[in-house]
Amino acid sequence: MPVLQTPQTRLSRRRRSPLPGLGLTLGVTVTFVTLIVLLPLLGLGWQLAQLGWSDYLFVMTDSRTLAALRITLTAAAAATVANGLFGLLLAWVLVRYRFPGRAALDALVDLPFALPTAVAGIALVSLYSQNGWIGALTAPLGFEIAYSWAGIVIAMLFTSVPFAVRAIQPLIEELDPAEEAAALTLGASRWQIFRAVTLPQLMPGILTGTGLSFVRSLGEFGAVIFIAGNIPFETEIASLLIMIRLDEFDYPAAAAIAGTMLALSLVLLVAINIAQTRLYRRFETGA
Protein backbone atom coordinates (compact mmCIF):
# COMPACT_ATOMS: atom_id res chain seq x y z
CA MET A 1 0.00 0.00 0.00
CA PRO A 2 1.59 3.33 -0.99
CA VAL A 3 2.48 5.70 1.80
CA LEU A 4 0.70 9.04 1.67
CA GLN A 5 3.04 11.99 1.41
CA THR A 6 2.13 15.09 3.31
CA PRO A 7 3.15 18.55 2.06
CA GLN A 8 5.72 18.73 4.86
CA THR A 9 7.29 15.45 3.68
CA ARG A 10 7.49 16.69 0.11
CA LEU A 11 9.06 19.95 1.30
CA SER A 12 11.70 18.14 3.35
CA ARG A 13 12.64 16.00 0.35
CA ARG A 14 13.01 19.07 -1.82
CA ARG A 15 15.10 20.84 0.77
CA ARG A 16 18.59 21.38 -0.54
CA SER A 17 21.92 21.77 1.15
CA PRO A 18 22.75 25.34 2.19
CA LEU A 19 26.01 25.01 0.24
CA PRO A 20 26.23 24.77 -3.57
CA GLY A 21 26.61 21.45 -5.34
CA LEU A 22 29.65 19.22 -5.48
CA GLY A 23 31.08 20.75 -8.63
CA LEU A 24 31.24 24.32 -7.33
CA THR A 25 32.37 23.50 -3.79
CA LEU A 26 35.01 21.05 -5.02
CA GLY A 27 36.29 23.59 -7.54
CA VAL A 28 36.59 26.32 -4.91
CA THR A 29 38.33 23.90 -2.54
CA VAL A 30 40.84 22.72 -5.13
CA THR A 31 41.55 26.30 -6.22
CA PHE A 32 42.12 27.42 -2.65
CA VAL A 33 44.44 24.49 -1.85
CA THR A 34 46.35 25.06 -5.08
CA LEU A 35 46.94 28.75 -4.43
CA ILE A 36 47.71 28.47 -0.72
CA VAL A 37 49.50 25.12 -0.46
CA LEU A 38 50.52 23.60 -3.79
CA LEU A 39 52.02 26.65 -5.50
CA PRO A 40 54.40 27.52 -2.63
CA LEU A 41 55.44 23.87 -2.46
CA LEU A 42 56.01 23.80 -6.20
CA GLY A 43 58.12 26.94 -5.93
CA LEU A 44 60.21 25.30 -3.23
CA GLY A 45 60.56 22.19 -5.35
CA TRP A 46 61.63 24.24 -8.36
CA GLN A 47 64.34 25.95 -6.33
CA LEU A 48 65.44 22.60 -4.94
CA ALA A 49 65.64 21.18 -8.45
CA GLN A 50 68.37 23.71 -9.25
CA LEU A 51 70.69 21.71 -7.05
CA GLY A 52 72.39 18.54 -8.11
CA TRP A 53 72.79 15.68 -5.69
CA SER A 54 76.40 16.62 -4.95
CA ASP A 55 75.43 20.26 -4.39
CA TYR A 56 72.63 19.21 -2.05
CA LEU A 57 75.01 17.06 -0.01
CA PHE A 58 77.51 19.92 0.07
CA VAL A 59 74.88 22.25 1.56
CA MET A 60 73.47 19.75 4.05
CA THR A 61 76.84 18.47 5.28
CA ASP A 62 78.14 21.96 5.97
CA SER A 63 79.14 22.22 9.63
CA ARG A 64 76.94 25.27 10.21
CA THR A 65 73.94 23.58 8.65
CA LEU A 66 74.44 20.41 10.70
CA ALA A 67 74.78 22.46 13.88
CA ALA A 68 71.56 24.37 13.13
CA LEU A 69 69.70 21.13 12.43
CA ARG A 70 71.04 19.54 15.61
CA ILE A 71 69.98 22.50 17.74
CA THR A 72 66.55 22.63 16.12
CA LEU A 73 65.85 18.91 16.41
CA THR A 74 67.04 18.53 19.99
CA ALA A 75 65.17 21.61 21.19
CA ALA A 76 62.00 20.52 19.37
CA ALA A 77 62.28 17.03 20.87
CA ALA A 78 62.69 18.43 24.39
CA ALA A 79 59.72 20.77 23.92
CA THR A 80 57.64 17.90 22.57
CA VAL A 81 58.35 15.66 25.56
CA ALA A 82 57.41 18.49 27.93
CA ASN A 83 54.26 19.19 25.93
CA GLY A 84 53.28 15.52 26.10
CA LEU A 85 53.55 15.48 29.89
CA PHE A 86 52.21 18.90 30.82
CA GLY A 87 49.72 18.98 27.96
CA LEU A 88 48.13 15.78 29.27
CA LEU A 89 48.10 17.17 32.81
CA LEU A 90 46.60 20.49 31.73
CA ALA A 91 43.94 18.83 29.57
CA TRP A 92 43.05 16.49 32.46
CA VAL A 93 42.63 19.39 34.89
CA LEU A 94 40.48 21.38 32.46
CA VAL A 95 38.13 18.45 31.84
CA ARG A 96 37.92 16.63 35.17
CA TYR A 97 37.89 19.51 37.68
CA ARG A 98 35.75 22.58 38.26
CA PHE A 99 37.42 25.55 39.97
CA PRO A 100 37.32 29.35 39.85
CA GLY A 101 39.13 30.68 36.82
CA ARG A 102 38.80 27.45 34.83
CA ALA A 103 37.27 29.25 31.82
CA ALA A 104 40.07 31.81 31.84
CA LEU A 105 42.71 29.06 32.00
CA ASP A 106 41.01 27.25 29.13
CA ALA A 107 41.07 30.43 27.06
CA LEU A 108 44.73 31.07 27.88
CA VAL A 109 45.66 27.75 26.25
CA ASP A 110 44.75 29.22 22.86
CA LEU A 111 46.66 32.47 23.45
CA PRO A 112 49.76 31.33 21.50
CA PHE A 113 47.51 30.90 18.45
CA ALA A 114 46.34 34.53 18.64
CA LEU A 115 49.53 36.20 19.84
CA PRO A 116 52.10 37.13 17.15
CA THR A 117 55.16 34.99 17.66
CA ALA A 118 57.46 38.02 17.55
CA VAL A 119 55.53 39.57 20.44
CA ALA A 120 55.82 36.27 22.31
CA GLY A 121 59.58 36.26 21.74
CA ILE A 122 59.96 39.78 23.12
CA ALA A 123 57.84 38.89 26.15
CA LEU A 124 59.92 35.78 26.81
CA VAL A 125 63.15 37.79 26.61
CA SER A 126 61.80 40.31 29.10
CA LEU A 127 61.02 37.46 31.50
CA TYR A 128 64.04 35.19 31.09
CA SER A 129 66.91 37.62 30.46
CA GLN A 130 69.29 38.45 33.28
CA ASN A 131 67.24 41.56 34.06
CA GLY A 132 63.89 39.79 33.79
CA TRP A 133 61.69 38.51 36.59
CA ILE A 134 62.67 34.88 36.16
CA GLY A 135 66.12 35.35 34.66
CA ALA A 136 67.21 37.49 37.61
CA LEU A 137 66.53 34.51 39.87
CA THR A 138 68.29 31.88 37.76
CA ALA A 139 71.32 33.94 36.67
CA PRO A 140 73.00 33.96 40.14
CA LEU A 141 72.71 30.16 40.10
CA GLY A 142 74.70 30.02 36.88
CA PHE A 143 71.69 29.01 34.79
CA GLU A 144 70.99 31.45 31.97
CA ILE A 145 67.81 30.84 30.01
CA ALA A 146 67.71 33.68 27.51
CA TYR A 147 70.17 33.45 24.62
CA SER A 148 70.74 29.76 25.23
CA TRP A 149 69.43 26.36 24.16
CA ALA A 150 67.03 26.39 27.12
CA GLY A 151 65.48 29.60 25.84
CA ILE A 152 64.85 27.97 22.47
CA VAL A 153 63.04 25.11 24.19
CA ILE A 154 60.86 27.50 26.20
CA ALA A 155 59.93 29.47 23.08
CA MET A 156 59.00 26.26 21.28
CA LEU A 157 56.99 25.15 24.31
CA PHE A 158 55.02 28.37 24.32
CA THR A 159 54.09 28.24 20.65
CA SER A 160 53.26 24.52 20.45
CA VAL A 161 51.54 23.63 23.73
CA PRO A 162 48.00 24.29 22.37
CA PHE A 163 48.43 21.46 19.87
CA ALA A 164 49.04 18.95 22.67
CA VAL A 165 46.23 20.18 24.91
CA ARG A 166 43.55 20.49 22.24
CA ALA A 167 44.33 17.07 20.78
CA ILE A 168 44.06 15.30 24.15
CA GLN A 169 41.20 17.27 25.69
CA PRO A 170 38.34 15.86 23.53
CA LEU A 171 39.41 12.28 24.26
CA ILE A 172 39.34 12.92 28.00
CA GLU A 173 35.84 14.34 27.65
CA GLU A 174 34.73 11.14 25.87
CA LEU A 175 36.08 8.79 28.54
CA ASP A 176 33.43 6.67 30.20
CA PRO A 177 33.69 7.05 34.00
CA ALA A 178 31.95 3.67 34.37
CA GLU A 179 35.04 1.88 33.07
CA GLU A 180 37.24 3.50 35.69
CA ALA A 181 34.66 2.77 38.39
CA ALA A 182 34.49 -0.89 37.32
CA ALA A 183 38.26 -1.22 37.49
CA LEU A 184 38.24 0.40 40.92
CA THR A 185 35.68 -2.07 42.23
CA LEU A 186 37.86 -4.91 40.97
CA GLY A 187 40.65 -3.75 43.24
CA ALA A 188 42.84 -1.87 40.76
CA SER A 189 44.87 1.05 42.06
CA ARG A 190 44.55 4.50 40.56
CA TRP A 191 47.86 4.09 38.73
CA GLN A 192 46.76 0.72 37.33
CA ILE A 193 43.47 2.26 36.18
CA PHE A 194 45.28 5.11 34.45
CA ARG A 195 47.86 2.83 32.82
CA ALA A 196 45.54 0.02 31.70
CA VAL A 197 42.18 1.75 31.15
CA THR A 198 42.64 5.48 30.61
CA LEU A 199 46.00 5.84 28.89
CA PRO A 200 45.31 3.45 25.97
CA GLN A 201 42.23 5.48 25.07
CA LEU A 202 44.20 8.72 25.18
CA MET A 203 47.18 7.48 23.17
CA PRO A 204 45.83 8.58 19.73
CA GLY A 205 45.37 12.12 21.03
CA ILE A 206 48.73 12.13 22.79
CA LEU A 207 50.42 10.88 19.63
CA THR A 208 48.69 13.47 17.45
CA GLY A 209 49.25 16.33 19.87
CA THR A 210 52.93 15.63 20.44
CA GLY A 211 53.52 15.00 16.75
CA LEU A 212 51.93 18.29 15.73
CA SER A 213 53.83 20.00 18.53
CA PHE A 214 57.12 18.63 17.20
CA VAL A 215 56.37 19.66 13.62
CA ARG A 216 55.29 23.13 14.79
CA SER A 217 58.49 23.50 16.79
CA LEU A 218 60.64 22.56 13.81
CA GLY A 219 59.36 25.52 11.82
CA GLU A 220 59.17 28.07 14.64
CA PHE A 221 60.92 31.34 13.86
CA GLY A 222 59.46 34.52 15.36
CA ALA A 223 59.44 33.55 19.03
CA VAL A 224 62.81 31.79 18.90
CA ILE A 225 65.02 34.38 17.23
CA PHE A 226 64.43 36.93 19.98
CA ILE A 227 65.36 34.63 22.86
CA ALA A 228 67.92 32.38 21.17
CA GLY A 229 70.71 34.89 20.65
CA ASN A 230 71.27 33.45 17.15
CA ILE A 231 74.89 32.48 17.72
CA PRO A 232 76.18 30.16 14.95
CA PHE A 233 76.94 26.63 16.18
CA GLU A 234 75.33 27.42 19.56
CA THR A 235 71.84 28.91 19.31
CA GLU A 236 71.21 29.30 15.58
CA ILE A 237 68.14 27.37 14.42
CA ALA A 238 67.42 26.02 10.95
CA SER A 239 64.70 28.59 10.20
CA LEU A 240 67.07 31.45 10.88
CA LEU A 241 69.77 29.87 8.74
CA ILE A 242 67.27 29.65 5.88
CA MET A 243 66.57 33.37 6.21
CA ILE A 244 70.31 34.10 6.25
CA ARG A 245 70.80 32.14 3.04
CA LEU A 246 67.93 34.08 1.46
CA ASP A 247 69.52 37.37 2.50
CA GLU A 248 72.69 36.16 0.80
CA PHE A 249 70.64 35.40 -2.35
CA ASP A 250 71.70 31.78 -2.04
CA TYR A 251 68.25 30.49 -2.94
CA PRO A 252 69.28 26.90 -3.77
CA ALA A 253 70.96 26.48 -0.37
CA ALA A 254 67.92 27.93 1.39
CA ALA A 255 65.68 25.61 -0.62
CA ALA A 256 67.85 22.61 0.31
CA ILE A 257 67.50 23.29 4.03
CA ALA A 258 63.80 24.16 3.75
CA GLY A 259 63.11 21.10 1.61
CA THR A 260 64.80 18.85 4.14
CA MET A 261 62.72 20.31 6.96
CA LEU A 262 59.58 19.97 4.86
CA ALA A 263 60.33 16.34 4.00
CA LEU A 264 60.94 15.54 7.66
CA SER A 265 57.66 17.18 8.65
CA LEU A 266 55.71 15.30 5.96
CA VAL A 267 57.24 11.98 7.01
CA LEU A 268 56.30 12.65 10.62
CA LEU A 269 52.72 13.62 9.71
CA VAL A 270 52.26 10.48 7.60
CA ALA A 271 53.72 8.32 10.37
CA ILE A 272 51.40 9.96 12.92
CA ASN A 273 48.33 9.29 10.76
CA ILE A 274 49.31 5.66 10.23
CA ALA A 275 50.02 5.08 13.91
CA GLN A 276 46.82 6.85 14.94
CA THR A 277 44.74 4.70 12.59
CA ARG A 278 46.30 1.52 13.95
CA LEU A 279 45.71 2.61 17.53
CA TYR A 280 42.04 3.31 16.83
CA ARG A 281 41.62 -0.05 15.12
CA ARG A 282 43.36 -1.88 17.96
CA PHE A 283 41.17 -0.11 20.49
CA GLU A 284 37.97 -0.88 18.56
CA THR A 285 38.84 -4.56 18.18
CA GLY A 286 40.02 -4.82 21.77
CA ALA A 287 43.35 -6.33 20.74
Side-chain angles (χ1 to χ4, degrees), residues 47 242-254:
Q47 290 290 343
I242 293 172
M243 188 189 74
I244 293 174
R245 294 294 180 247
L246 291 174
D247 290 339
E248 296 171 348
F249 300 99
D250 192 356
Y251 298 121

Side-chain angles (χ1 to χ4, degrees), residues 43-44 46-49 51 56 242 246 250-260:
L44 176 60
W46 183 83
Q47 290 290 343
L48 191 58
L51 286 173
Y56 173 81
I242 293 172
L246 291 174
D250 192 356
Y251 298 121
I257 303 173
T260 301

Side-chain angles (χ1 to χ4, degrees), residues 183-264:
L184 187 62
T185 58
L186 294 174
S189 64
R190 293 190 179 275
W191 168 247
Q192 289 174 329
I193 294 174
F194 177 78
R195 180 176 57 84
V197 179
T198 306
L199 188 59
Q201 301 183 58
L202 300 181
M203 279 305 298
I206 295 174
L207 182 64
T208 301
T210 54
L212 292 177
S213 174
F214 184 76
V215 173
R216 177 68 177 83
S217 298
L218 287 179
E220 179 52 39
F221 179 77
V224 173
I225 60 173
F226 286 96
I227 197 173
N230 310 321
I231 304 174
F233 301 99
E234 294 184 17
T235 59
E236 186 179 62
I237 60 173
S239 299
L240 177 62
L241 185 57
I242 293 172
M243 188 189 74
I244 293 174
R245 294 294 180 247
L246 291 174
D247 290 339
E248 296 171 348
F249 300 99
D250 192 356
Y251 298 121
I257 303 173
T260 301
M261 301 294 289
L262 176 62
L264 178 59

